[in-house]
Amino acid sequence: MEHRIIGPGPYRATKLWNETIELFRSGMTPKKHRVHFKTYERCFTATEAVDWLHELLQCNQNFGPEVTRSQTVQLLKKFLKNHVIEDVKGRWGKEDFEDNNSLYRFPPTSPLKPYPKRPAQKVEPLPFPRWSDEDSVTSYAHIPVKPVVMNSELWYKRHSIAIGEVPACRLVYRRELTPANIEEIWKSRTLLRLQKIFGLDSLEEVMDTKQTNRKHIMHNVYNVNKQGIVVMEDRSKELPHWLLSAMKCLASWPNCSEMKQPMYLGFERDVFKTIADYYSSLQEPLLTFQLFDVFVNILGLLQKRLAAIEALQVCCLLLPPENRRKLQLLMRMMARISLNREMPPLCDTTGNRALMVQTFSRCVLRSKEEVDLGELLSTKLVTFMMDNCQDILTVPTSFKNAVEDYVAHQRRVQIKYPGANIDGTLHPTFIQPQGTTLEYEYQKLSKPQDPVKVALEEIITNKTLSSKDKKKKLKQFQRAHPQIYKERFPTPDTEAAIFPEKTSLKSQLSFFTLKRPFQSFQRTRSFRM
């Protein structure tokens, strides 16, 4: 059975758990073993299981070559605890698993985890933030508006449309955005961006969006120093001074003579152990239990490096500021130590790079129940984050600019024409076109009207339009909407009634009028040469 890459989606950790068990059960071939003059059928030793599973995990792209043998042993301990395997006497759960010649077998029952069943619900897009009634509305009584002077031809050339003329327009003012409104916009745009990166219909499949703190996002974006590190307003949440000194010492090793610590053989190992003890004592991982599934889903994007980096950039904005600051400082130290060739070995059996990942992976990411592949997944994610920490733990500039432009757009004044949809967050103020009355405007606002009929009435009541232009616009409207035009002008008389009567030139030039127009011309003296 070949392994497959499991991309982002709901229950990714459970899918990886089940797939690993299936691969292990199908690939690990039980054999006959003899112990103490007794033969056991269809079983395997603990060492054989560790060898086979370790090779499987290292070759599996969902985990990678960073998986160590000790991590494989830890996973088999979980297998024994969850009855994926049992010893040859049928015992499981409390027994410990060690890398030795003890015999184990597969139980007859299926050990796969069932997927949680969620009630079917309609997937809806993330809502746009709603403004509360208590929000203040900007006063527009004293906003200066520069009048635009243009002649009739220029006006109708600019505002004419295919169905006729719509000279009436509305200046639409947006409500004033409060800090809470802006925070809600940042939250909604952040979640929408993350949903798009994952390619999911809804983030509810991988996280509880209601628990996302919008204030954390704003703090992580704007409260940073020149290096991009989050600055804490509450000093009680800051890292201890002695810990910052220790991390700075190892990050800048060996150029740390100003630290004034006593230097002795093995000094750097003691400093590292102090840092490791502090981070290991944290009650919750830096990426939080709440966001465990979100970060596990990012592992499905590691084949696309840029997409994974962007997903981590956005996800890390959801962290509490104190967690983000601790993560930034830790990753910077880990990256510098792993690349520092002058740093002496901090462990006799493991290289500095592998030691960084093994020591701090559980401090960064782990599941709350710890009955799955959390340790293996955290190793892969922490390795990727350490190698790309300069890009991951900075605020994405393009995303920040996009949200700020969106906020600025919500504050702009807009012009709306009759029939256009008006955003519920807008505060409309109407500009009366020339030739209309307050009563007419009130009637338009008091009951809904067909926008096409409103456009026709605007053409009819516009007194600034010449008869020639008005006839032209009416012909355009008639071709576009013949039925509505016929309802408004059922007879030629009703159509002619809208045009003012003018003195005919016939009366002034009556002497040129022929009494009998169909009678042939007769020569008169006026036509003689």
Side-chain angles (χ1 to χ4, degrees), residues 204-455:
E204 296 294 340
E205 300 175 347
V206 296
M207 66 178 295
D208 186 0
T209 57
K210 296 179 181 178
Q211 296 185 12
T212 303
N213 193 320
R214 62 193 187 190
K215 293 184 179 296
H216 291 170
I217 302 175
M218 294 288 293
H219 188 108
N220 292 332
V221 170
Y222 292 106
N223 290 34
V224 296
N225 58 20
K226 294 181 180 180
Q227 290 76 34
I229 305 295
V230 173
V231 177
M232 299 303 302
E233 297 177 352
D234 187 357
R235 294 298 179 182
S236 64
K237 297 181 180 180
E238 182 60 88
L239 288 172
H241 177 72
W242 57 267
L243 181 64
L244 291 173
S245 299
M247 296 178 70
K248 183 177 180 181
C249 176
L250 291 187
S252 57
W253 185 274
N255 302 319
C256 56
S257 57
E258 72 279 7
M259 304 304 293
K260 298 182 180 180
Q261 285 96 350
M263 305 295 290
Y264 53 86
L265 184 63
F267 169 75
E268 67 283 347
R269 294 192 178 190
D270 290 343
V271 174
F272 177 75
K273 185 177 184 303
T274 301
I275 300 171
D277 289 343
Y278 174 85
Y279 276 94
S280 299
S281 64
L282 297 176
Q283 298 297 320
E284 187 179 27
L286 297 179
L287 300 184
T288 72
F289 292 132
Q290 175 192 344
L291 298 176
F292 174 78
D293 288 334
V294 181
F295 283 99
V296 166
N297 275 276
I298 295 178
L299 289 170
L301 300 173
L302 294 189
Q303 302 299 322
K304 303 176 182 178
R305 179 177 174 273
L306 296 180
I309 289 177
E310 184 181 5
L312 284 167
Q313 286 177 332
V314 177
C315 279
C316 288
L317 293 179
L318 305 177
L319 297 174
E322 57 270 23
N323 287 40
R324 181 177 171 87
R325 177 172 172 80
K326 292 176 183 178
L327 181 66
Q328 288 175 317
L329 295 175
L330 177 62
M331 284 296 169
R332 287 164 67 94
M333 183 199 73
M334 292 171 59
R336 291 185 180 184
I337 292 176
S338 63
L339 297 175
N340 189 356
R341 296 183 178 180
E342 298 184 23
M343 174 66 72
L346 299 175
C347 180
D348 294 333
T349 59
T350 307
N352 287 344
R353 173 182 168 82
L355 181 64
M356 294 299 107
V357 177
Q358 293 178 20
T359 303
F360 297 109
S361 60
R362 281 177 48 83
C363 310
V364 176
L365 179 69
R366 71 176 185 270
S367 62
K368 193 171 184 178
E369 294 79 11
E370 296 206 60
V371 292
D372 52 18
L373 307 173
E375 187 172 350
L376 300 179
L377 299 176
S378 63
T379 299
K380 188 173 182 64
L381 182 66
V382 170
T383 302
F384 183 83
M385 294 181 68
M386 184 178 67
D387 294 339
N388 300 275
C389 64
Q390 288 296 110
D391 297 325
I392 291 172
L393 296 175
T394 57
V395 179
T397 305
S398 58
F399 174 70
K400 179 183 177 182
N401 294 338
V403 178
E404 289 177 343
D405 292 343
Y406 184 83
V407 173
H409 174 71
Q410 298 304 311
R411 290 170 168 162
R412 291 195 185 104
V413 177
Q414 291 190 344
I415 298 178
K416 295 289 184 179
Y417 289 93
N421 294 329
I422 301 178
D423 191 344
T425 64
L426 305 180
H427 177 69
T429 301
F430 292 88
I431 295 181
Q432 297 182 17
Q434 184 178 357
T436 60
T437 62
L438 291 175
E439 291 79 5
Y440 177 67
E441 286 292 331
Y442 176 78
Q443 292 176 359
K444 290 200 302 182
L445 295 175
S446 60
K447 58 182 179 180
Q449 297 188 21
D450 188 341
V452 180
K453 294 182 179 180
V454 172

Side-chain angles (χ1 to χ4, degrees), residues 82-97:
N82 290 272
H83 206 193
V84 177
I85 58 177
E86 61 184 15
D87 68 7
V88 290
K89 296 181 180 180
R91 296 172 298 186
W92 58 276
K94 295 182 179 180
E95 287 69 29
D96 195 11
F97 182 94

Side-chain angles (χ1 to χ4, degrees), residues 24 28-35 38-49 85-90 101-107:
F24 180 54
M28 185 70 219
T29 305
K31 302 178 182 177
K32 181 189 296 184
H33 289 79
R34 184 178 178 85
V35 177
K38 188 174 182 179
T39 302
Y40 296 92
E41 300 288 342
R42 298 186 59 80
C43 59
F44 49 85
T45 66
T47 300
E48 291 173 346
I85 58 177
E86 61 184 15
D87 68 7
V88 290
K89 296 181 180 180
N101 291 324
S102 300
L103 296 180
Y104 294 89
R105 66 187 183 190
F106 293 119

